[in-house]
Structures are given as C-alpha cells and as structure tokens.
Amino acid sequence: MFKKFNWGHGIILGLGSFIAFILFMIFIFPNGQQNAEMVSDNYYDDELNYQQIIDAKKNAELLKETLRYEQLATGIKVNFPESVNPDKGEIHFDLYRTNDSNLDIKKDLNLDSQKSFTIPKQVLSAGSYTLKVKWSQDKKPYQIDYDVQWKYRSYFRNLL
C-alpha cells in the first residue's frame, strides 16, 4: 500500500485534512460556544465610575451583618438585617442573566415591613444570574453582589 504512496498523494492528503479542519471550525466548533454578550451597553461610562462601585463594596464589607438571600418557590427573597437601614427604605437591584441580556432585570423599589424584597419567579428562568443590590445609608453608598443559580424546577419537585 505504501509502495505507491508518493509526494502527490501526501499533498492531496494534507489539503484534504486542512479542508476538513476548516469545515470543522466553521460548522461544528461554534455550536459549543456560549453567548458572550457585554454586561453593560454603557461600558465606558461604567468604567469611569468604577471607583464609586469599589467604595460601595468596601462599605458593604465593613457591615457587621450582611444581606441574605434565599430561593423560595415564589422567587428570590433578599432579607436586610436589622442593623442595615437604607435611606427612605429605597434600594436598587440589578439581576443580570449571564448568557442572555434580554432576561436582565433592573429595578428601584422600597423594602417591605420585614425589610426584605422578593424577585418573583415569573420573571426568572432556570440558569445563572448575578444579583447586585445597591442602597445608601447615611449618604454612604453600599453594594453587594451575589452569584445566583436559579433552579425553580428543583423547588417545584420538593413541593409535590
């Protein structure tokens, strides 16, 4: 078999392998890639104001008690401790979907009587999120970030 293999066959085999590799890279490889969207449309403005975010996160690290979140069948509930009193009870949260910016949620709201708020399950779909909770207390900014893996289906099974 190799007696009749010459340099012409090698060139054809090499070109055929190269073409197969290129076709693999075009048709098969992109199917395994995740969507990599930018988190913010105003990336450059956000970058210029990033020192304020660093200060807000440092302020939040100095708190004696921190926020806690829990996943319930009704949604994601964020509880503020008694020692944290946001100015006028107003907070802002951003819920960024890791792989689809169409599922992002940004909202300003007031805390309820138990110093908590709930993100309802109707606006969530199973997957990975980044939850950013922002507030001010005594005119100092605070921000806490959480990585959240929403798995409503597992909670649904536990209720049955």
Side-chain angles (χ1 to χ4, degrees), residues 5 9 16-17 24 40 50 68 100 102 107 131 138 140 151 153 156:
F5 189 81
H9 294 115
S17 298
F24 170 79
S40 173
Y50 196 68
R68 289 183 308 277
D100 188 0
N102 294 322
K107 189 158 184 148
L131 174 63
D138 301 327
K140 285 175 59 177
K151 299 178 184 177
R153 292 184 181 122
F156 183 72

Side-chain angles (χ1 to χ4, degrees), residues 46-58 141:
D46 293 347
E47 189 67 29
L48 293 173
N49 298 323
Y50 196 68
Q51 185 60 45
Q52 296 170 352
I53 295 171
I54 292 171
D55 295 340
K57 287 182 178 183
K58 282 184 181 178

Side-chain angles (χ1 to χ4, degrees), residues 64-71 76-84 114-117 131 133 135 144 146:
K64 294 176 185 166
E65 296 177 277
T66 186
L67 313 181
R68 289 183 308 277
Y69 77 91
E70 56 185 329
Q71 294 188 21
I76 299 173
K77 184 175 184 179
V78 179
N79 299 307
F80 279 73
E82 289 299 319
S83 62
V84 176
Q114 287 108 14
K115 292 179 73 171
S116 65
F117 69 92
L131 174 63
V133 182
W135 74 96
I144 294 182
Y146 295 107

Side-chain angles (χ1 to χ4, degrees), residues 23 26 82 86 101 104-105 122 131:
L23 291 174
I26 292 172
E82 289 299 319
S101 64
D104 291 352
I105 302 167
Q122 289 82 4
L131 174 63

Side-chain angles (χ1 to χ4, degrees), residues 7 15 18 28 36 40-41 47 57 75 114-115 125 148 152:
W7 63 271
L15 284 173
F18 179 72
I28 307 298
S40 173
D41 291 333
E47 189 67 29
K57 287 182 178 183
Q114 287 108 14
K115 292 179 73 171
S125 59
V148 178
Y152 176 70

Side-chain angles (χ1 to χ4, degrees), residues 70-77 95 97 103 105 118-126 129 150-153 155-156 159:
E70 56 185 329
Q71 294 188 21
L72 306 171
T74 58
I76 299 173
K77 184 175 184 179
L95 190 65
R97 179 60 186 248
L103 298 174
I105 302 167
T118 303
I119 303 168
K121 68 176 181 181
Q122 289 82 4
V123 298
L124 300 169
S125 59
Y129 289 92
W150 176 250
K151 299 178 184 177
Y152 176 70
R153 292 184 181 122
Y155 286 98
F156 183 72
L159 293 174

